[in-house]
Amino acid sequence: MGGPGEPPEGTPEGAPGGGEDEYRSVVFDESFVRAARLQEFSAQERMADHAPAVRRRPPLRRGLSRQALILVLLIAVAFGTAIYMGVRHPYQTQVAQPPEPLRMTVIPLAPGTAVPGAANAESLYAHSPAAQFRIGADGFTLPASRRTAHFSDSQVVTALTTAKDYLVRSSLDPDVLTGGATRPVRILLDPQQLDQFDESFAHPAADGRHAPTGWLVRFDPSRAQLADSSIRVQGTLQAAEFDASTLEIIADHTLVYALKPTGANGKAQASLFTVRRELHFRFDRDDLRMHQAELVVSYVQAGPLACAEDSTNHLRPLLAGQTAKAGGPAGTDPYATGSATALCGSLATSAQPRV
């Protein structure tokens, strides 16, 4: 008797030996059967006259289903609409404009009499209009912040804080005042203003654009040095929108310095030097994020100075006992709120300490 896998008569002659079936390795799984192009009719279907034994099956669809095709089309339409609206939308975000060049005015104020002096700087302060001023950075007080139509409370505070940092570094830092340092101020400026800043110090000019003393306060180190590090400060900071994409901060402060001759011994008298600075800062959203400012207006009154002295690169103060011929209109008081109208003014007697 043949094996379970062989026909009863045994393996036909000429077939592979050992009972091997040449089709045994072929596996007809379910997917193969479903994919077959021919399908046998059922017994009932074959009873009909002239019905063939098999029928041809429709080919399987290999492409995307209708639902998938519709989804792809909807995504493509949405993506195209988003691109179109981004290009054509009438309310798209405004592109920030390059900052304006700084416009600056430095007005020296000449005394009409000899500059008052005293051995003690505290005595000078006590007998001057600066007696009630705050000391140092405390004089740059921040107002209560208010959000604007296009800027939040935190953005307004950031602008005010950055403006204060600029004021502190540009008018109180000892290295800036008498040491010639500029980097503490430079790093707070919008990068697009750095060329003008660098040109001002490389090639100072009295052209309203390139005076170092328009950017910061600094004294001629060969002439004067600080007699007291407690600089007196008083003024205001105001915030408002310049436009929908720009905040503006206006700083208006009077600073009073006690100075003495460079290299003088302890017997040299001190004198007061007053600087009135009105600075206009602007901040776009990039400036706020980077803690930088655009300085667009710098209006400075400073004295006692001689009108004949060049105040473009350094301030060259007149010190205790020194005199200068007054120039310009009658007394200009840097403590007053009015603005001087001349390129050189006279320092009002009321602005000097009474000693």
Side-chain angles (χ1 to χ4, degrees), residues 45-127:
E45 289 174 328
R46 289 200 300 271
M47 291 174 62
D49 292 339
H50 310 296
V54 295
R55 61 184 173 191
R56 184 174 294 275
R57 299 181 65 183
L60 293 175
R61 294 185 177 180
R62 300 291 184 184
L64 294 172
S65 66
R66 179 176 298 178
Q67 292 85 351
L69 184 59
I70 292 174
L71 179 61
V72 170
L73 289 175
L74 288 175
I75 293 174
V77 171
F79 186 71
T81 302
I83 294 177
Y84 175 80
M85 293 299 290
V87 173
R88 303 290 297 177
H89 200 286
Y91 301 106
Q92 59 185 318
T93 303
Q94 298 182 6
V95 177
Q97 298 297 320
E100 298 178 11
L102 170 61
R103 294 175 285 113
M104 58 185 70
T105 304
V106 180
I107 300 178
L109 303 178
T113 59
V115 176
N120 190 330
E122 288 292 338
S123 175
L124 290 172
Y125 283 130
H127 292 86

Side-chain angles (χ1 to χ4, degrees), residues 117 119 161 185 293 300 325:
T161 302
V185 178
V300 179
K325 182 179 179 180

Side-chain angles (χ1 to χ4, degrees), residues 293-306:
E294 303 170 14
L295 182 58
V296 295
V297 174
S298 174
Y299 184 86
V300 179
Q301 303 172 12
L305 290 171

